[in-house]
Amino acid sequence: MLLLSAPFDAARGGHGAPIAAPCALAGGAALLGAATGVWIELQGGGPPGLGRSAAAAVLHAGFFAVGWILATDGRPGWPRPALIMAAAFLAASVASRLSSWGATAFLLVPLVLVGVSRGHAELRRIGLARPKGLLPLTAGLGVGIFLGAHLLVTSSLTFGYGVRIANAGAYLSAVGYDVGANALTAEWLFRGALFSRWWRRWRFWPAAALATAVGVARYLLDPALASAVEVRAGAVFYMALLGVGCCALRAWSGSLLPGYSATVVFFAAYRLLAP
Amino acid sequence: MIAVQLLLLALITAAMAADGAGPPSAVRHLYLVPTLWAALGAGAAGGGLIGLLAGLLQAPLVLPAIERMGLGSRTLDGLVSLVTPVSVGWLVGLLVDASRGRAARLRAVLEIQRSLGREVPLEERLESVVEGVRAALGAQRVGLVVTAEDESRAPVAVPSGPGFDERSAAGLAQRTGRPVWVEDLRSDPRLGAPAAGGPTPIRGLVLPLDAGRGAVGALAIEREGDLTPAVRVAAEEMAMHLALAIENARLTLRQRRFAEELERKVEAATARLRELDQAKSEFLSVVSHELRTPLTALQGFSELLLTRAVPPERARRFLGHLHGEAQRLGRIVAELLDLSRIQAGRPLELRREAVDLNEVIERNVELFAAEHRGHQFGWAGCPNGLTLEADQDAVDRMLKNLLSNAVKYSPAGGRVAVAAGPAPDHPGMVELSVEDDGVGIAAEHLPRIFDRYMRIANPETAAARGLGLGLSLVKALAEAHGGRVEVDSLPGKGSRFRVLLPG
């Protein structure tokens, strides 16, 4: 028992190395890359939408890099996986932009993430591990299905939104993006890095509330989100529920996978909504 | 259980949808049934979750109505219905958790008292306590360190596995009397290099066991996940009870030891009283015998002188016997008077004057040599003379008693050596020693030979006469002078008595 047998040095300082500088560097680089992508798009360079897709890919790479830095307590060596993941995001984005079926490239991004994380045992701390048994995964799917179904029923009954797949290619592209970028980096950064880090310092509820608030803010700042009041209110409501639910799944199962599956399923349902 | 509760929720939602009454449907109140059931069964987490689901399931029925009709009294009622199940479930669950926690704490406290009161080794008792605390707090590991009452001994630690380190967090809490809080045992640098760690933080809390008289140990708790304020309060309460229970157990142990020691002392005192009683009985018998012997002689010789015509030479011899027996009687009476004075607690009256020790020793040695021709008396004398400030009569009696003892307890032909001079090992004191080569005294009897009425049973000296008062009188007289008496003796080799008197 560590508290009885391990020497305890009360004079030693708090948790880990300073992380502000590498986080700022990674975040700044991501923003710069995203701005460059948008600028290219505005200048009309390349196929339409490619610059915007590249900007989104670079932002997700930034989320990944910041998550990695937080997860490893700012230890050096983060740029390499960040660059590999940036390349993967960019490749998948370009592929999905060039062809509807190209979005399937996003399905490879989680595998790339697993590959770059191999050999980094410290990433178990953020939940990069398989859950024990099928129950957590089933629970994650259950949460995603329930919230997704609830979103569809409530939106259609309340605001008259239709539930349909208008364009199979666009739907597949959107779901691919959710699987390989949106849900992946959301779980990685908000539940994996931020929630895990804060949970180690505080109790569950403050950590879950803050990580969820940051996650909701990320979606509210997303320019792709419609500006209609009911959409924004719904985003806050469902993203908050999904965020807290995923934090609970992460805490209970010790793995990011149940929350990731819940987010993917929820967004798959969300993509069915049509005004 | 949760499956049935979820099924109930689904049935109620279906019934509400079929009812068609919208938000004010009476069926909505049924949501409270699975919610309360979950709260009573699984506490705040269960009640909150089922309540939240109930609210979410109502939402598709309530929200469209609000959108259609705007916020009115009916729709507002429906809106309140959305948050009612989650609020009720969570609050009832909190109360259930609190009461369960209190019950668990009470059980643990009772278990602590029961365990520490058991008649088994301390480690075993602490193991039982640790298990009780662990179960009550829902912790993964609980450890306990209890300082030994005797500070030179190592503290007792449970579990005893890798061993207790004084530099550990538990050692720190025990030394400083302050709690130690560790947010995550696997990543806190104060516990050494951070390990890779697992996905769930392990909280650590060490509380000093202090019942108000300083820390008697420390209680260490390691718990995966959250260590809520309620658990912390429970741990503090248990630490306080543990400290009190340990103090009580120690007090009981001390009382028991004290009672046992008292019992031993009473037994020893009773045995001593019995011995004294027996010695007194023997003393009375000896006294009557010692008094009767000279009285019989006095009676017999005086009767002969009175009733018969005794030739003058023989009459003179008889008178000599009469004088000797009268002197002996006088000595016995003097000893008895001194004894009664000592017993009454009155100090012996001394008439201090300059005493020429040479002269006293010489006179007594000549006297004893004349009376006991079978013994060889040795006295070299002091070349420069030896004078001390003392009661001459007391010094004389001390010497007579010692010489008398030496003669009594050494065989015919035995040697009795007297010596006097400044004590080499006690500056400012004069020593007067009498040494014989008699039967000696066994080591176990030495501490008691100066006691009153004490006569050591020895077949070789059974015929020796005496009251058992001589040595106690020597001791009392030496102490009255501010001195003392010492003895060295070996059975079969002889004894040496040494009287030390201020010079």
Side-chain angles (χ1 to χ4, degrees), chain A:
Chain A
M1 189 174 178
L2 284 174
L3 291 174
L4 256 62
S5 59
F8 183 81
D9 183 2
R12 276 187 80 170
H15 286 264
I19 50 158
C23 280
L25 186 63
L31 283 174
L32 193 67
T36 309
V38 173
W39 182 77
I40 291 170
E41 177 79 25
L42 291 175
Q43 295 299 312
L50 189 63
R52 205 176 294 275
S53 293
V58 172
L59 275 178
H60 283 294
F63 289 152
F64 173 82
V66 170
W68 184 286
I69 292 164
L70 291 172
T72 56
D73 282 332
R75 256 170 263 163
W78 58 269
R80 187 173 170 274
L83 287 173
I84 293 173
M85 285 303 290
F89 284 128
L90 268 172
S93 291
V94 170
S96 72
R97 184 54 59 188
L98 295 177
S99 148
S100 297
W101 290 101
T104 50
F106 270 116
L107 300 178
L108 298 174
V109 177
L111 300 177
V112 176
L113 190 147
V114 170
V116 296
S117 305
R118 197 177 289 272
H120 292 273
E122 69 269 29
L123 294 176
R124 277 194 66 234
R125 277 196 299 181
I126 66 164
L128 200 72
R130 266 193 298 250
K132 283 176 190 157
L134 281 175
L135 186 62
L137 205 58
T138 313
L141 289 171
V143 168
I145 290 168
F146 178 79
L147 285 179
H150 194 272
L151 169 74
L152 296 181
V153 172
T154 308
S155 303
S156 59
L157 288 179
T158 310
F159 304 111
Y161 280 78
V163 178
R164 59 179 176 272
I165 300 174
N167 180 334
Y171 179 76
L172 190 65
S173 177
V175 170
Y177 165 74
D178 289 334
V179 170
N182 180 24
L184 187 72
T185 54
E187 286 313 302
W188 174 264
L189 179 63
F190 303 123
R191 260 68 75 182
L194 291 176
F195 169 72
S196 298
R197 187 176 181 83
W198 289 330
W199 191 30
R200 281 206 304 276
R201 297 175 182 202
W202 311 322
R203 288 188 289 124
F204 172 81
W205 281 110
L210 193 59
T212 302
V214 177
V216 170
R218 169 251 180 278
Y219 283 104
L220 288 179
L221 290 173
D222 192 335
L225 188 71
S227 57
V229 176
E230 74 269 14
V231 174
R232 296 211 154 241
V236 170
F237 180 73
Y238 284 106
M239 292 321 295
L241 272 182
L242 185 68
V244 171
C246 289
C247 284
L249 286 167
R250 152 75 185 83
W252 171 58
S253 68
S255 168
L256 289 173
L257 205 54
Y260 174 62
S261 55
T263 309
V264 165
V265 170
F266 173 78
F267 275 100
Y270 165 72
R271 302 289 178 194
L272 292 172
L273 275 181

